[in-house]
Amino acid sequence: MSRIAVIGGSGFSALAGTHAPEGPGVATPYGLTSAPIVTAFLAGREVLFLPRHGPRHQIAPHRINYRANVWALKDAGARYLLALAAVGGIGPAYGPGVLAVPDQIIDYTYEREHSFYGGDGGEVVHTDFTYPYCEELRQALLRAGRIAGLDPVDGGTYGATQGPRLETAAEVIRLERDGCDLVGMTGMPEAALSRELGLCYACCAFVVNWAAGKAEGVIRMEEIEANLAQCNAGVGRWLVAFMQSFDPGARASGA
């Protein structure tokens, strides 16, 4: 049976009704995962859960062991990976509080382990990444969002930056010129690694601030935290609606 996994982002160290996982991560050929993998039930359906930043949000985006996380979830039986991501908004349709399901990504990260095929005496594989997100899962998320009355934005390009600092206003101008609508720090290499392992991966993005230079003044953590709290309830409803409505294999997969 194909299992569903949720990768928790900022503000989501645990699923509703559960505690953040404690203890060492799962051992893999690529090191330890960010935290233990929890098996829980959401809307009466089994789901795997792994917080990418660790149980206390203690792992910075550029320090996350993405390979271990994705490998361990597949090894636990996951076929569908639903990635939660707090992001900044760049395009006018992506203001604070907006929920979105991006359909493209641009990678600006560096010095991360981007592949399971490093060429270190092993196989070199060139994986097609034309459409980085699984369309089956994207469409399922959009349907669930509408069922929950949330009206998530369909599509958009996620710009993945290195972090952990936020971007400069000039960097955001470049991102916008490149076609980015959203900016976050964890979308890559998570999406590419999932594709290498043949997993169906999609992003449930929630906007917690305007990107640098898109609003007056500087970005304040108080603003981010307030918007994150506002988004939490909506994302929780979205996940419940998804678990209640998702029918694996009902539509052709883009993975």
Side-chain angles (χ1 to χ4, degrees), residues 89-125:
I90 298 175
Y94 300 87
V98 167
L99 306 178
V101 186
D103 60 354
Q104 278 295 332
I105 194 164
I106 300 177
D107 187 7
Y108 300 93
T109 67
Y110 51 89
E111 295 182 353
R112 301 185 183 189
E113 294 289 353
H114 281 80
S115 177
F116 292 107
Y117 305 104
D120 300 328
E123 185 180 11
V124 176
V125 175

Side-chain angles (χ1 to χ4, degrees), residues 34-211:
S34 299
I37 295 173
V38 172
T39 301
F41 285 86
L42 188 62
R45 194 167 181 176
E46 186 181 78
V47 60
L48 302 174
F49 180 78
L50 176 61
R52 66 165 75 85
H53 292 285
R56 296 175 302 283
H57 200 271
Q58 76 273 24
I59 307 174
H62 65 301
R63 297 294 189 189
I64 293 169
N65 191 339
Y66 295 95
R67 292 198 300 180
N69 288 350
V70 173
W71 178 277
L73 288 170
K74 179 175 182 178
D75 194 52
R79 161 74 176 120
Y80 298 92
L81 301 190
L82 196 168
L84 305 183
V87 298
I90 298 175
Y94 300 87
V98 167
L99 306 178
V101 186
D103 60 354
Q104 278 295 332
I105 194 164
I106 300 177
D107 187 7
Y108 300 93
T109 67
Y110 51 89
E111 295 182 353
R112 301 185 183 189
E113 294 289 353
H114 281 80
S115 177
F116 292 107
Y117 305 104
D120 300 328
E123 185 180 11
V124 176
V125 175
H126 302 287
T127 303
D128 177 73
F129 206 47
T130 306
Y131 303 104
Y133 297 107
C134 172
E135 193 61 18
E136 176 189 2
L137 195 51
R138 268 198 4 96
Q139 291 302 323
L141 279 170
L142 291 167
R143 288 194 299 273
R146 290 189 287 267
I147 290 170
L150 298 170
D151 195 26
V153 177
D154 179 1
T157 297
Y158 177 128
T161 58
Q162 180 72 354
R165 68 164 177 84
L166 300 177
E167 299 72 36
T168 68
E171 286 170 333
V172 170
I173 290 172
R174 182 187 71 160
L175 291 170
E176 186 170 30
R177 186 173 62 240
D178 287 350
C180 296
D181 302 291
L182 304 162
V183 57
M185 301 175 188
T186 59
M188 287 292 288
E190 199 172 80
L193 293 169
S194 298
R195 179 60 56 83
E196 285 189 346
L197 293 186
L199 301 175
C200 186
Y201 175 97
C203 175
C204 168
F206 40 100
V207 183
V208 296
N209 61 279
W210 282 113

